[in-house]
């Protein structure tokens, strides 16, 4: 079992819709949780990270962590075609474990 | 400020050949790591280093070798390439004092094909 599970199924949404992405993790020692965005044929780049349980908001993006259920979520409001990318969740401390990634396509 | 620089961007090898993927960072980061990314598998950690002279294995280390003689450089060596090593390889680095978030900065990737 991978430490971070992310259903890799692609997601297509119309422009302006809310995108909801989820991951689960198995290691209860994880303290930091991150979301990376990866455009096609590029390296991943950090979108946002949270410490322990709670919410964090950055513009149109909200990250949520529920440590009691080992659940990580990312919400993108008012999605734009420029949000079309693969989103990778990760958890850990010094060593990060990544999910498989979700490809998101925002259709104009 | 170049960040994390990987070379080459593309490489084609024949089975059994050896090669080195280069990674350099100019951010004075202590931590450096190599991942491979395969369809349906996500990012998997190959090797990592927490400082010059210190390396350790990740999730999928077999067939790869690393060394860290300087803070800036962390090359990945393929000793005898196999088709199963066809992948996109990412080098990443971060500043961490041993605790706290390991916020990785990734390079642009090296696409390797082994025939």
């Amino acid at each position: 079992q991978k430490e971070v599970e992310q259903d890799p199924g692609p997601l297509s949404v119309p422009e302006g819709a809310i995108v909801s992405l989820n991951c689960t993790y198995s290691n209860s020692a994880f303290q930091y949780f991150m979301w990376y965005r990866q455009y096609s044929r590029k390296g991943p780049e950090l979108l946002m990270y949270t410490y322990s349980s709670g919410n964090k908001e950055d513009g149109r993006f909200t990250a949520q962590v529920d440590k009691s259920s080992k659940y990580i979520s990312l919400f993108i409001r008012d999605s734009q075609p420029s949000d079309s990318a693969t989103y990778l969740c990760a958890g850990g401390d010094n060593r990060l474990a990544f999910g498989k990634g979700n490809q998101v396509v925002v259709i104009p | 400020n170049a960040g994390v620089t990987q070379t080459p961007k593309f490489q084609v090898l024949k089975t059994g050949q050896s090669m080195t993927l280069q990674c350099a960072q100019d951010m004075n980061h202590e931590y450096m790591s190599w991942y491979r990314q395969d369809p349906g598998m996500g990012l998997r950690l190959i090797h990592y280093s927490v400082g010059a002279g210190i390396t350790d294995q990740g999730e999928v280390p077999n067939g790869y070798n690393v060394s860290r003689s300087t803070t800036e450089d962390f090359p990945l060596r393929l000793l005898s390439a196999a088709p199963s090593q066809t992948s996109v390889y990412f080098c990443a680095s971060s500043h961490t004092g041993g605790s706290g978030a390991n916020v990785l900065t990734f390079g642009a990737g090296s696409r390797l094909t082994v025939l």
Side-chain angles (χ1 to χ4, degrees), chain A residues 50-84:
Chain A
T50 56
Y51 173 74
S52 195
S53 283
N55 294 357
K56 186 171 184 178
E57 191 173 312
D58 184 0
R60 297 183 294 110
F61 298 88
T62 300
Q64 288 185 351
V65 176
D66 182 347
K67 291 197 75 179
S68 63
S69 59
K70 296 189 178 68
Y71 210 73
I72 313 166
S73 300
L74 178 71
F75 301 96
I76 307 174
R77 291 183 300 280
D78 187 26
S79 57
Q80 303 296 309
S82 58
D83 295 327
S84 297

Side-chain angles (χ1 to χ4, degrees), chain A residues 38-55:
Chain A
Q38 184 177 21
Y39 291 114
S40 181
R41 295 187 171 264
K42 301 289 186 184
E45 56 180 355
L46 180 72
L47 194 57
M48 50 198 310
Y49 77 90
T50 56
Y51 173 74
S52 195
S53 283
N55 294 357

Side-chain angles (χ1 to χ4, degrees), chain A residues 2 8 14 17 19 28-29 31 33 35 38 40 42 49 63 66-67 70 76 80 82 86-87 92-93 99 102-103 106:
Chain A
K2 282 181 66 74
V19 175
S28 56
Q31 294 290 337
F33 304 91
W35 286 95
Q38 184 177 21
S40 181
K42 301 289 186 184
Y49 77 90
D66 182 347
K67 291 197 75 179
K70 296 189 178 68
I76 307 174
Q80 303 296 309
S82 58
T86 296
Y87 292 81
D93 290 301
N102 273 123
Q103 184 181 6
V106 180

Side-chain angles (χ1 to χ4, degrees), chain B residues 1 20 25-26 50-52 56 68 75-76 81 91 94 97 101-104 108:
Chain B
N1 190 344
T20 299
Q25 53 92 8
D26 61 359
V50 297
D56 206 348
R68 183 99 179 267
L76 179 71
C91 180
S94 70
N102 192 5
V103 178
L104 295 173

Side-chain angles (χ1 to χ4, degrees), chain B residues 19-76:
Chain B
M19 78 156 300
T20 299
L21 298 178
Q22 301 290 346
C23 176
Q25 53 92 8
D26 61 359
M27 298 171 284
N28 202 31
H29 283 170
E30 304 94 341
Y31 182 94
M32 296 186 74
S33 55
W34 278 101
Y35 287 86
R36 60 179 289 174
Q37 188 174 41
D38 303 290
M41 301 295 290
L43 284 166
R44 292 182 292 169
L45 182 64
I46 305 172
H47 285 286
Y48 67 98
S49 168
V50 297
I54 306 168
T55 63
D56 206 348
Q57 295 180 351
E59 182 183 357
V60 287
N62 293 341
Y64 306 95
N65 206 352
V66 293
S67 60
R68 183 99 179 267
S69 56
T70 67
T71 300
E72 295 79 17
D73 299 299
F74 191 44
L76 179 71

Side-chain angles (χ1 to χ4, degrees), chain A residues 3-54:
Chain A
E3 288 187 294
V4 177
E5 297 283 356
Q6 182 177 13
D7 183 352
L11 185 63
S12 291
V13 299
E15 183 176 353
I18 294 175
V19 175
S20 174
L21 303 172
N22 304 294
C23 296
T24 58
Y25 67 95
S26 58
N27 191 334
S28 56
F30 284 178
Q31 294 290 337
Y32 289 92
F33 304 91
M34 303 179 186
W35 286 95
Y36 281 82
R37 178 175 61 195
Q38 184 177 21
Y39 291 114
S40 181
R41 295 187 171 264
K42 301 289 186 184
E45 56 180 355
L46 180 72
L47 194 57
M48 50 198 310
Y49 77 90
T50 56
Y51 173 74
S52 195
S53 283

